[in-house]
Amino acid sequence: MLSRRQALRTAAVLTAAPALLIRSQAQTAVPVMPPTGPHKLPRLGYAFNALEPHIDTQTMEIHHGKHHATYVSNLNKALVDYPDLQALSVEELLKNLDKVPEKIRTAVRNNGGGHYNHTLFWQCLSNEGGTGPEGTLAEALGHLFKDKEEREEAFLKAGLGQFGSGWVWISVNKDKTLKLETTPNQDSPLLAGRQPLLGVDVWEHAYYLKYQNRRVDYIKAIYNCLNWKFLQKRWEKLAA
Ligand code: MN3
């Protein structure tokens, strides 16, 4: 009797297995599985294909719906036993990493950083962001680079010089001057006490589908879709 029941159970598992597999494949086709917890995946402010031909639709879909969503999900997971920390914004978490328990500090640094950096990155891009910096932002950038050519060349050089995965930034120092810098992994300038103004993701997942290993072409393409209107507003806020 027992062995018959066992045999039936085994048969049931075997027949159920293909159905389960098909179901889970169908589920992965859903573009965004919203992570549960205090932190949410923000919506893009534009369509996935808005940055074509510079950044392709599929890269945007995977980058936002898979990579960014995973950082959000893993950040929520890391915070699950820490209700006090759940109440903090991701920016507050990153600025106070030393107060985050050691057990989850690396997870918060990597996934909180990933969430914060990508949230900013999406806003730094647009298909209708204007052609370049104006007003006070143009003036502040002028103290760092003599013109557009010098700015783009220095940014490109920094991006190519970042070994492995990381980010290129124009950050705001405490004295409100600007700084060009890079960080490895998902580290944010916030960790060093600076506010990021502009961040560009140079992880391979940001460009591999369209540009393969050509980071140089990807960074040059990014220059065509920077959201200068957003950057001007952000600068005014950070410089105030
Ligand atoms: Mn990325």
Side-chain angles (χ1 to χ4, degrees):
M1 192 62 188
L2 252 184
S3 77
R4 185 170 175 264
R5 190 183 296 163
Q6 217 156 28
L8 280 173
R9 195 178 297 156
T10 309
V13 166
L14 286 175
T15 31
L20 280 174
L21 193 67
I22 289 160
R23 214 166 98 199
S24 82
Q25 275 168 351
Q27 278 169 352
T28 58
V30 176
V32 178
M33 292 287 283
T36 53
H39 299 281
K40 311 282 181 212
L41 181 66
R43 296 183 72 87
L44 279 184
Y46 39 82
F48 288 113
N49 65 0
L51 308 178
E52 291 271 9
H54 311 296
I55 308 295
D56 62 288
T57 306
Q58 195 187 11
T59 295
M60 289 303 293
E61 285 171 350
I62 295 172
H63 201 173
H64 177 266
K66 302 288 183 194
H67 291 278
H68 187 172
T70 302
Y71 295 123
V72 178
S73 180
N74 287 341
L75 175 62
N76 284 329
K77 263 183 231 160
L79 299 175
V80 81
D81 294 327
Y82 303 88
D84 293 359
L85 297 181
Q86 285 175 17
L88 299 180
S89 71
V90 66
E91 184 170 340
E92 288 169 322
L93 282 171
L94 294 172
K95 282 178 169 172
N96 297 287
L97 261 189
D98 54 328
K99 291 175 195 124
V100 172
E102 208 179 331
K103 197 178 156 197
I104 60 163
R105 195 176 300 150
T106 303
V108 170
R109 179 178 183 155
N110 290 337
N111 295 292
H115 177 32
Y116 180 87
N117 294 348
H118 286 86
T119 300
L120 175 62
F121 182 48
W122 309 133
Q123 297 176 83
C124 291
L125 304 177
S126 174
N127 57 335
E128 44 191 28
T131 51
E134 291 172 15
T136 54
L137 178 57
E139 198 183 310
L141 282 166
H143 293 301
L144 199 56
F145 312 106
K146 89 173 180 287
D147 53 24
K148 176 179 187 259
E149 284 65 40
E150 189 179 288
R151 184 182 73 232
E152 293 189 344
E153 201 164 309
F155 199 91
L156 183 65
K157 197 175 160 201
L160 296 177
Q162 172 55 42
F163 181 76
S165 299
W167 290 74
V168 192
W169 307 95
I170 293 178
S171 312
V172 183
N173 290 308
K174 285 210 169 79
D175 65 2
K176 310 297 183 189
T177 55
L178 294 175
K179 180 185 172 73
L180 174 68
E181 64 179 320
T182 59
T183 57
N185 308 313
Q186 293 296 350
D187 284 356
S188 162
L190 290 174
L191 303 181
R194 287 183 286 277
Q195 287 281 348
L197 169 72
L198 160 68
V200 173
D201 189 343
V202 295
W203 282 56
E204 276 191 348
H205 69 224
Y207 59 87
Y208 203 84
L209 288 180
K210 185 176 169 77
Y211 297 101
Q212 291 80 51
N213 60 330
R214 302 187 308 278
R215 188 184 282 185
V216 58
D217 293 343
Y218 158 72
I219 294 175
K220 285 180 178 170
I222 286 281
Y223 295 159
N224 294 308
C225 40
L226 287 176
N227 188 349
W228 290 107
K229 291 173 193 164
F230 166 77
L231 293 169
Q232 174 66 34
K233 276 192 206 136
R234 184 167 171 83
W235 163 246
E236 283 165 13
K237 208 173 79 186
L238 296 177

